[in-house]
Amino acid sequence: PSSLHLFQQLWRRIRNASDSLEMLQSAVEALGWQFGLDRCVVMLRREEEHDIGVEAEFCQKPYQPVGPLRYQLRSNSEWYRLLSEGGALPLIEMQPATGPVSVLPELGHFIQDSGSKAIVAFPLLNQGNVLGLLTIHYCGEARPFPEELLEIGEVFSEELADQLLVCSKIQEKLVYGRAFAESNLPVIVLERDSAKIRQVNTAAADLLDGGKNDMIGLPFLDLFGESDSQRLKSAMIKLGEKVSVTSVSGLLAPASDGQTTSLDAVLSGVTGGLEIILVLFPQAPLPSGVVGGGRETPSGGSDGTARVEELVGSLSRQLSWERLTRQIIAKLHASLDRDTVLQWAADSVGRALKASACLIIRTDSPTSPMVTHEYADPNLSPLGLGRTGVLPARAVSSFKQKTTAIADLSAATAQGALAREDQNVLLDSGVGSLIGAPISYRGTSYGIIVAQCDEARKWTTHEIELVETTATQAALALANAQSYAQVKDQLFNMNLVSNLTQQLTTALDQVSRGARAEKIPEGIPSESPAYPLSVREMEVLKLIASGLANREIAQKLFLTESTVELHASRIRKKLKLKSRTALVKFACDNHLV
């Protein structure tokens, strides 16, 4: 069916995006080009600012983009109430004839700014909270939107809202938040090749420019003179296999107060990455124009330098684990196949932890917990899937409740997480240490992920967070895969029912015309007048004239109430009628019921 095919295309566009803004821009461009829209916009709400603004926009020539405009949207406003109810909203039809800004001022301003003659908005909702809205526009003339577009818009807006939450959760793990929040020192992350600033914490921004400007993307070496810039370049080149940390002292940089500040810098390369961590140590400010020589100092030396190197090394390890976590999360959300998601979760955790095995265990099995996916050390042969009793039932129950790490199964402390008999069973199986987490999302459990090593090992905070994050994101990816399957079925059924309804309506119309041709009542012309209505609009008009409410019509035609209201609004426009009562009278006068 065409609706399903279009939805699959749109889904792939948003799933392949690397961040939320790229995803939203892909979404509006795909909708705009596919359906020939004059404009397509996504607006996102900032709850703390009580407003909503344009974040992504598609615009056909000769129309101009509205730009990053923002409008007031408070949670107690009429506009917010309408959005929170969900469903498609025909914005212009909702405005009174007395003026576009009389009842919903901010909504009216958006209509005016967009220059549209027809707008339908699809709210982006999360548990009744308005995240934003997706709007489709015709600017040249007030023509109706295709039925297929309205159906896809409602489903697609739900998927956009879900993907916004996914991107938000991923971003929480991707930003270098903890690495910077835990340091009171000015810290900057540079791209190794270009020396451009990739991330900067508040202390560094305040030191260099008073926190006034966004420094991300700027060439860091441009802040210094030619001599200091060359010394920094030399230090960055040294960061390789043999030298992991180096320092440069006596750098002169412009301070936020317009004077010159003398800085010492400690540099470290992120393990296996393309970034360099740089920690700045401000010294006493020097008068503007004073030139100092400075010198380069090797790593090591005083206790203070050793502590600095330890801090930089800690930040480097943090960034390495966060980059690895980012790669795992991106891979998990790249597929909508359940088996692919679970296998990648097992493989990624097993490789990252250098575990002897990593198991995905289904916990809702009618019998015993069952292994469904497995990563095994390449030097070992996997034990095979479909096994039961791999972990004692009480151990599975423990991992199902929360993330658990057991450093040494032979130690007495392991009995805090496992019963003695379970501990002995695992030791007899050659397991020295365990770490695992529940794969669950919004109360739905998909099983557990457990990594094991043959020997005892101390699990670090980074390792525990990686297992927990992988389990959480795998559950979210599984929920998306399940939703996608349901949406595919829903769209298929909607297309099937729509086709059958159209065929049935056409057949009934033909029978009806044949019957009227045999016997034409007095006073009625022999030929039926040509009404400017589509087949679906004619169906809606007949049901309205039969006295049915929008909800009853929606149930009969397998539509939403908002879509029925859209059809009714279009019918009134085409027939130049002002009320629902006038529609009933028109249908009766023309013998449509």
Side-chain angles (χ1 to χ4, degrees), residues 107 176 281 338:
L107 177 57
Y176 306 107
F281 296 90
R338 178 188 178 93

Side-chain angles (χ1 to χ4, degrees), residues 108-124:
H109 290 316
F110 174 61
I111 294 173
Q112 289 180 336
D113 293 337
S114 66
S116 302
K117 301 294 177 55
I119 307 179
V120 173
F122 304 95
L124 308 179

Side-chain angles (χ1 to χ4, degrees), residues 4 61 102 127 161 176 189 207 258 268 270 273-275 308 334 336 344 386 410 422 445 550 569 577:
L4 179 58
K61 293 182 179 180
S102 58
Q127 297 180 348
Y176 306 107
V189 177
L207 175 65
S268 173
V270 177
L274 301 176
E275 301 95 353
V308 169
L336 290 169
W344 175 251
S410 63
D422 296 338
S445 176
N550 284 353
S569 175
L577 301 175

